[in-house]
Amino acid sequence: MSTAAAPSLAAPQWDTDSTHWACGDDISVLPRIFEPGITLAVMTRRLDAALQASIAAQLNGTRGISWHWRGGVDQRLGDDLLRHLPAADQGAALVEDIRTIAEAMAYLFDTDTVGVRLRTLEGAMCPRFHVDNLAVRMITTYAGPASEWLPESAVNRAGLGAPHPDKPEPLRDPEAIRQLSIGDLALLKGGGWIGNEGHGLVHRSPQPAAGERRLLLALDPG
């Protein structure tokens, strides 16, 4: 995968069909986030047995995970994460996967540092459809329900932001809600991306079932 160019300043064409997202099972789909008008790039993937076992081990106990890292993507990241896992003796596969993803993020955005968060969640972190006011974020769900998002045709942007009695619902069509799958690597372009103001991808956190926990990874470049 070659280093992607800087975000284009060209005015994007905001079609209401599938032209604003890209999906594929190869890492080459991720640089499409740099294309004007693309607000979501998803690499679909299946988690192998070793990684699934490592994830399950972290969720077997009662202790949650709330780990944050900002820095390089070298061995220090992996060592720090391992110290914060509930089942560190079974954490190698998960740590290796997160380091690989962080390295890809740093390479794609030509940065020496990344911000990384790994959290267990028992409720919806952001239950209302919203747009991130940053340039871009990568997310992947390791366990539990994955993030939901809306195609542009299903969004009423006048309803975004803090709820208010005078605001309409941001969701035009409940049947149009899309959902990522466990393991998917998704780049979400936000409102802070130059040239994408007012067109960030609209998404939300789903509500886990009673007794269910999500394990969510989020990465920011720089």
Side-chain angles (χ1 to χ4, degrees):
M1 181 178 66
S2 60
T3 304
S8 171
L9 300 182
Q13 298 299 310
W14 297 107
D15 297 328
T16 57
D17 57 19
S18 63
T19 55
H20 78 86
W21 68 87
C23 183
D25 60 4
D26 186 82
I27 198 169
S28 62
V29 74
L30 295 180
R32 292 201 60 193
I33 198 68
F34 289 93
E35 297 178 16
I38 293 290
T39 59
L40 174 68
V42 181
M43 176 186 163
T44 61
R45 63 175 188 149
R46 294 181 180 274
L47 306 183
D48 64 34
L51 180 52
Q52 290 184 52
S54 184
I55 293 164
Q58 310 312 316
L59 298 175
N60 278 343
T62 58
R63 178 183 156 196
I65 301 171
S66 182
W67 173 73
H68 304 263
W69 173 266
R70 183 165 296 278
V73 295
D74 54 26
Q75 185 62 41
R76 290 173 298 171
L77 182 155
D79 292 344
D80 189 74
L81 172 56
L82 199 62
R83 287 194 294 269
H84 288 82
L85 291 180
D89 58 332
Q90 300 176 71
L94 179 59
V95 170
E96 180 182 1
D97 192 66
I98 291 173
R99 274 200 65 196
T100 299
I101 294 170
E103 288 171 356
M105 187 76 165
Y107 185 80
L108 183 62
F109 290 95
D110 192 22
T111 178
D112 293 328
T113 61
V114 293
V116 190
R117 291 180 298 157
L118 181 68
R119 298 181 62 185
T120 48
L121 301 165
E122 296 183 2
M125 183 171 58
C126 301
R128 182 177 170 84
F129 278 111
H130 67 283
V131 170
D132 292 333
N133 293 319
L134 43 72
V136 67
R137 172 165 288 159
M138 179 182 282
I139 59 171
T140 190
T141 302
Y142 284 117
S147 299
E148 297 175 340
W149 61 278
L150 295 179
E152 189 64 26
S153 58
V155 176
N156 182 354
R157 289 187 177 270
L160 295 174
H164 188 277
D166 295 332
K167 274 190 176 181
E169 281 295 317
L171 175 61
R172 292 186 188 274
D173 179 11
E175 298 297 320
I177 296 174
R178 308 293 182 95
Q179 188 168 27
L180 300 171
S181 296
I182 287 177
D184 287 352
L185 299 179
L187 283 170
L188 284 59
K189 189 181 287 182
W193 185 289
I194 296 174
N196 196 56
E197 298 86 349
H199 295 287
L201 184 81
V202 178
H203 62 285
R204 72 178 179 187
S205 300
Q207 178 65 47
E212 183 180 34
R213 283 195 291 177
R214 298 180 71 206
L215 182 59
L216 179 69
L217 178 71
L219 304 95
D220 303 322

